[in-house]
């Protein structure tokens, strides 16, 4: 909503206006691009009058009679380039939108450039948008994509980090979270664990929200913010969790569709990139081997199959793709019939949209054909994506890893020794083995004896593993021992439903032989448990000493603040050091 408002020159778009939109160009930097691309397709941009969208630092031609909407971070180089645009008189008028708030001095730089270029009247509006976060789902956001290593787990937990570096990282995180709440139009109540990076974030965010509320003239939380009506009667809870409370889950192999896609494929900002081998047919001797073609697919909110199955166990997904395919095949004759009515041969879809509906027959064909073709597109997409995932599962035995790790994490009896798993040359990549061993190491109440550890290390090295993660986890475990007992993950293991071959009919696209058909049992992960305690006001040693911040209260730290006693209706969970799709899915299941 905020983006559409910005693209409409910062006035809310009118629903029923029949006129053409105002044509304009959109200039963004990589940060702006990352924020817009998961939310608005090129077609939606065009519907809003955006004819061209260009990167700020690319060579752009003068387009003298069009307004330009800029959406960029207020960095030195961006500002320099904008000043250059003003001097070169590239566009008719300039609507400058900053992703994060611009400082007074940089604003003056732009003003000076505008005066120098005699372009003051052309700078129509300058806005701080407070949109410095990336929304990937209706209920999920990440801070950034371009420089994510700056706020990663590693950046925060490096042993040699300086105080100033830490400050910078915390400020970056807080800036994004602040933007998030401005956009939401709500002031949260903040809870966090003590003595962690999450606490540093909480203190800074509380201070920033507080300062903004005190500044009555410029407060971002009064009056007509976008979300003002949404939460007005009840404030959301913000739970800041530190990644260190649970390092096993992010290392854990997974079994649900979205989490698998993210784990084994190249999946960023809702787009998955696949390398497709172009067929196995033998090329004539001496011919060069065929190049792998790269394909990318967007997995979006409008993709009904994805929305329905992204949280399903993989076997179910494979089965559903198969069912969709069969139901489509039943309709394929219908597609052929419709195409022949419309006089279209072959695959020329462009022609379909060009036809005018002159007969009733055509009208029905025109309306049902695009729907069927869209269905076909989604089936092909998920067939390709699921096949790519399946190749990884089979070649790396990910089903075995997933099941074995679940047993470790739930302290069940193991059916084969860990050493055998690590030494099996056919199971998994060195990284898979390392992940398995780290989960074992993190989850075990007693660390393995030195003799055992040496054996494991030798096996890991023979398997080609890099041992540096282990030395980090060793130190980490010694360090976190002080206060906390090992995290419990509930005592449930996935139940195998026999092998797939029985479930899947023989004509299936997916050759699932040998892959275990595992079903998940619902259990709450540590992050979800913490949220549950804090939302429902349950007393629990895990969360009783979490700090409590209320930025709306004048002053007073934890003990003196009058606390909200009622359970919360809305909550935002943010993991400092990075959440993951397993936890996201677990929270969604918890909400259900």
């Amino acid at each position: 909503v905020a983006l559409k408002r910005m693209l409409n020159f910062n006035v809310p778009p009118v629903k029923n206006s029949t006129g053409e939109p105002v044509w304009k160009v959109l200039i963004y930097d990589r940060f702006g691009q990352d924020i817009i691309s998961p939310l608005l397709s090129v077609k939606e941009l065009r519907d809003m009058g955006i004819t061209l969208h260009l990167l700020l630092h690319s060579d752009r031609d003068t387009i003298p009679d069009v307004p330009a909407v800029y959406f960029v971070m207020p960095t030195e180089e961006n500002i320099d380039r904008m000043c250059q645009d003003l001097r070169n008189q590239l566009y008719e008028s300039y609507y400058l939108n900053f992703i994060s708030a611009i400082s007074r001095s940089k604003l003056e730089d732009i003003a000076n450039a505008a005066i120098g270029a005699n372009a003051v009247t052309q700078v129509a509006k300058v806005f701080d948008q407070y949109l410095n976060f990336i929304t990937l789902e209706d209920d999920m956001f990440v801070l950034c994509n371009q420089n994510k290593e700056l706020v990663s787990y590693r950046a925060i937990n490096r042993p040699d980090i300086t105080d100033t570096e830490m400050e910078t990282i915390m400020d970056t995180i807080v800036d994004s979270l602040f933007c998030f709440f401005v956009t939401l139009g709500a002031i949260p109540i903040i809870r966090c664990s003590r003595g962690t990076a999450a606490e540093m974030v909480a203190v800074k965010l509380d201070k920033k929200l507080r300062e903004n509320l005190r500044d009555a003239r410029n407060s971002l939380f009064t009056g007509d913010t976008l979300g003002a009506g949404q939460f007005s009667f009840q404030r959301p809870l913000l739970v800041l969790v530190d990644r260190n409370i649970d390092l096993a889950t992010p290392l854990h192999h997974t079994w649900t569709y979205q989490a698998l896609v993210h784990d084994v494929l190249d999946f960023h900002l809702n787009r998955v990139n696949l390398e497709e081998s172009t067929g196995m047919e033998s090329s004539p001797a001496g011919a060069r081997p065929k190049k792998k073609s790269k394909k990318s697919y967007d997995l979006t909110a409008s993709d009904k199959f994805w929305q329905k199955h992204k949280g399903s166990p993989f076997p179910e997904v494979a089965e559903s793709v198969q069912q969709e395919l069969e139901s489509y095949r039943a309709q394929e004759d219908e597609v052929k019939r419709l195409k022949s009515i419309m006089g279209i041969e072959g695959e020329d879809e462009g022609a379909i949209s060009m036809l005018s509906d002159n007969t009733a027959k055509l009208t029905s064909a025109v309306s049902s054909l695009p729907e069927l073709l869209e269905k076909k597109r989604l089936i092909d997409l998920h067939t390709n994506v699921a096949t790519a995932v399946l190749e990884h599962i089979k070649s790396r035995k990910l089903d075995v890893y997933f099941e074995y790790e679940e047993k470790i994490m739930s302290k069940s009896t193991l059916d084969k020794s860990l050493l055998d798993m690590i030494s099996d040359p056919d199971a998994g990549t060195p990284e898979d083995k390392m992940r398995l061993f780290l989960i074992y190491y993190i989850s075990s109440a007693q660390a393995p004896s030195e003799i055992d550890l040496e054996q494991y290390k030798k096996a890991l090295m023979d398997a080609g593993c890099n041992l540096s993660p282990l030395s980090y986890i060793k130190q980490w475990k010694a360090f976190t021992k002080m206060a906390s007992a090992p995290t419990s993950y509930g005592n449930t293991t996935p139940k195998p439903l026999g092998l797939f071959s029985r479930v899947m009919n023989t004509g299936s696209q997916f050759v699932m032989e040998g892959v275990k058909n595992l079903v998940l049992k619902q259990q709450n992960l540590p992050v979800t448990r913490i949220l549950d305690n804090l939302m429902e006001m349950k007393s629990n040693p895990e969360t009783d000493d979490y700090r409590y911040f209320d930025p709306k209260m004048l002053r007073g730290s934890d003990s003196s603040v009058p606390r909200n006693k009622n359970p919360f209706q809305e909550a935002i969970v943010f993991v400092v050091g990075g959440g993951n799709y397993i936890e996201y899915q677990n929270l969604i299941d918890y909400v259900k």
Side-chain angles (χ1 to χ4, degrees):
V1 172
L3 283 174
K4 287 185 168 168
R5 181 169 167 165
M6 172 186 86
L7 294 174
N8 201 39
F9 305 124
N10 287 299
V11 287
V14 187
K15 279 285 186 297
N16 49 12
S17 58
T18 45
E20 287 272 285
V22 181
W23 298 112
K24 46 194 170 288
V25 290
L26 170 64
I27 313 290
Y28 48 43
D29 59 2
R30 294 252 176 244
F31 291 91
Q33 186 177 27
D34 288 343
I35 293 168
I36 293 173
S37 66
L39 291 172
L40 298 171
S41 65
V42 175
K43 181 189 176 307
E44 288 170 294
L45 288 176
R46 198 172 303 119
D47 292 343
M48 300 195 62
I50 305 287
T51 49
L52 269 177
H53 41 99
L54 305 163
L55 280 165
L56 176 66
H57 293 281
S58 58
D59 290 331
R60 289 172 281 116
D61 299 327
T62 309
I63 313 179
D65 44 2
V66 214
V69 175
Y70 285 73
F71 185 51
V72 295
M73 286 293 263
T75 59
E76 288 289 345
E77 45 187 356
N78 282 354
I79 306 250
D80 290 348
R81 186 61 189 260
M82 291 160 95
C83 295
Q84 196 183 318
D85 287 357
L86 290 171
R87 285 194 288 274
N88 296 344
Q89 300 183 342
L90 286 190
Y91 308 110
E92 173 195 61
S93 56
Y94 303 83
Y95 292 80
L96 309 181
N97 297 282
F98 295 102
I99 296 172
S100 182
I102 184 173
S103 66
R104 176 75 201 220
S105 63
K106 287 182 178 151
L107 204 53
E108 287 172 3
D109 294 344
I110 298 179
N112 287 329
I115 293 168
N118 221 344
V120 178
T121 49
Q122 280 136 322
V123 179
K125 283 181 182 169
V126 181
F127 269 86
D128 286 332
Q129 288 294 348
Y130 293 100
L131 288 174
N132 190 13
F133 59 95
I134 300 175
T135 306
L136 294 179
E137 312 260 350
D138 289 346
D139 50 12
M140 184 175 76
F141 71 101
V142 293
L143 298 190
C144 55
N145 178 53
Q146 286 303 316
N147 53 357
K148 53 175 177 265
E149 62 285 345
L150 294 181
V151 293
S152 65
Y153 177 83
R154 180 173 178 271
I156 300 169
N157 292 281
R158 274 194 348 221
D160 57 345
I161 188 165
T162 64
D163 287 354
T164 40
E165 286 175 309
M166 193 66 171
E167 287 289 311
T168 313
I169 295 173
M170 294 299 125
D171 288 337
T172 311
I173 295 176
V174 168
D175 182 64
S176 282
L177 290 174
F178 180 75
C179 288
F180 176 82
F181 286 104
V182 171
T183 306
L184 206 61
I187 303 271
I189 282 170
I190 306 171
R191 301 295 305 266
C192 69
S193 49
R194 293 175 185 271
T196 58
E199 182 178 27
M200 298 169 75
V201 172
V203 171
K204 278 181 177 281
L205 182 61
D206 175 65
K207 180 165 179 272
K208 190 161 178 149
L209 288 165
R210 202 173 276 272
E211 283 168 2
N212 191 270
L213 285 169
R214 296 293 157 270
D215 177 6
R217 254 191 1 185
N218 298 315
S219 173
L220 298 159
F221 292 95
T222 47
D224 64 328
T225 47
L226 293 169
Q230 259 178 320
F231 293 114
S232 47
F233 57 100
Q234 212 219 7
R235 292 163 56 196
L237 166 73
L238 168 64
V239 180
L240 290 168
V241 179
D242 195 275
R243 181 70 276 164
N244 282 316
I245 60 144
D246 169 19
L247 276 182
T249 303
L251 293 165
H252 187 19
H253 287 86
T254 144
W255 199 234
T256 55
Y257 191 26
Q258 183 175 33
L260 271 167
V261 168
H262 182 253
D263 189 4
V264 304
L265 304 177
D266 173 14
F267 180 58
H268 290 291
L269 301 184
N270 294 349
R271 168 169 294 174
V272 62
N273 296 308
L274 290 184
E275 277 195 355
E276 304 200 323
S277 40
T278 41
M280 297 302 288
E281 69 274 9
S282 53
S283 40
R288 274 185 311 205
K290 288 206 163 62
K291 240 195 11 243
K292 286 191 167 180
S293 62
K294 273 213 152 84
K295 275 215 118 136
S296 66
Y297 301 103
D298 289 313
L299 298 169
T300 61
S302 56
D303 176 340
K304 289 196 187 68
F305 186 89
W306 177 244
Q307 287 310 319
K308 188 172 168 196
H309 292 292
K310 64 185 186 193
S312 310
F314 187 75
E316 265 178 50
V317 175
E319 222 172 317
S320 307
V321 172
Q322 190 57 30
Q323 286 163 1
E324 292 279 318
L325 192 62
E326 279 159 23
S327 82
Y328 175 77
R329 284 198 180 130
Q331 293 169 302
E332 206 157 31
D333 305 335
E334 175 68 356
V335 173
K336 291 201 180 99
R337 195 179 64 78
L338 292 174
K339 280 188 169 176
S340 67
I341 291 175
M342 297 169 70
I344 308 168
E345 290 311 314
E347 285 295 304
D348 184 8
E349 323 223 316
I352 296 168
S353 51
M354 305 293 286
L355 288 170
S356 57
D357 35 358
N358 44 11
T359 66
K361 243 181 176 170
L362 265 181
T363 314
S364 77
V366 166
S367 60
S368 54
L369 191 57
E371 201 177 304
L372 285 168
L373 291 170
E374 173 62 8
K375 191 172 172 184
K376 172 86 166 74
R377 184 185 74 80
L378 291 179
I379 292 170
D380 290 347
L381 182 160
H382 286 287
T383 305
N384 291 338
V385 173
T387 305
V389 170
L390 180 62
E391 280 171 14
H392 280 275
I393 292 178
K394 286 165 76 168
S395 67
R396 292 158 58 184
K397 297 198 184 169
L398 297 182
D399 50 333
V400 181
Y401 274 94
F402 166 70
E403 189 183 23
Y404 198 85
E405 288 164 0
E406 289 272 313
K407 283 182 180 160
I408 292 176
M409 288 161 82
S410 60
K411 314 266 188 283
S412 329
T413 32
L414 303 173
D415 47 355
K416 66 192 251 196
S417 84
L418 182 63
L419 211 51
D420 291 349
M421 285 282 290
I422 296 172
S423 315
D424 178 352
D426 299 330
T429 60
E431 189 180 85
D432 290 326
K433 296 180 183 198
M434 197 66 203
R435 281 165 64 175
L436 169 67
F437 185 70
L438 290 178
I439 289 172
Y440 162 72
Y441 193 87
I442 290 168
S443 309
S444 57
Q446 265 80 43
S449 69
E450 282 303 313
I451 303 169
D452 289 354
L453 194 58
E454 283 311 311
Q455 254 196 315
Y456 285 129
K457 277 184 166 172
K458 184 175 179 325
L460 286 164
M461 282 177 71
D462 292 345
C465 299
N466 167 0
L467 292 186
S468 45
L470 178 57
S471 48
Y472 173 78
I473 291 289
K474 239 174 118 169
Q475 287 173 327
W476 172 84
K477 190 157 177 155
F479 184 70
T480 44
K481 248 216 188 92
M482 344 174 255
S484 63
T487 317
S488 82
Y489 294 90
N491 52 354
T492 52
T493 42
K495 297 263 183 290
L497 281 187
L499 291 173
F500 264 134
S501 36
R502 291 209 305 279
V503 189
M504 304 288 283
N505 50 17
T506 43
S508 167
Q509 288 280 319
F510 298 99
V511 189
M512 290 292 221
E513 279 150 65
V515 176
K516 297 185 177 191
N517 191 5
L518 302 167
V519 190
L520 301 174
K521 279 178 70 177
Q522 178 54 31
Q523 64 195 45
N524 286 343
L525 292 172
V527 169
T528 309
R529 272 210 314 274
I530 290 169
L531 172 75
D532 180 52
N533 293 340
L534 295 173
M535 265 189 103
E536 303 298 331
M537 302 286 169
K538 295 178 184 170
S539 176
N540 185 309
E542 198 173 14
T543 49
D544 283 346
D545 72 333
Y546 267 50
R547 292 192 62 182
Y548 184 103
F549 295 89
D550 183 343
K552 279 194 172 176
M553 293 291 164
L554 266 165
R555 62 177 53 81
S557 63
D558 305 69
S559 49
S560 56
V561 171
R563 296 199 174 191
N564 169 17
K565 294 282 183 288
N566 304 326
F568 288 91
Q569 299 302 309
E570 277 101 11
I572 294 102
V573 180
F574 182 77
V575 183
V576 180
N580 55 62
Y581 280 108
I582 307 180
E583 288 166 332
Y584 168 61
Q585 194 53 53
N586 195 246
L587 285 164
I588 289 179
D589 294 341
Y590 160 76
V591 171
K592 283 182 189 151

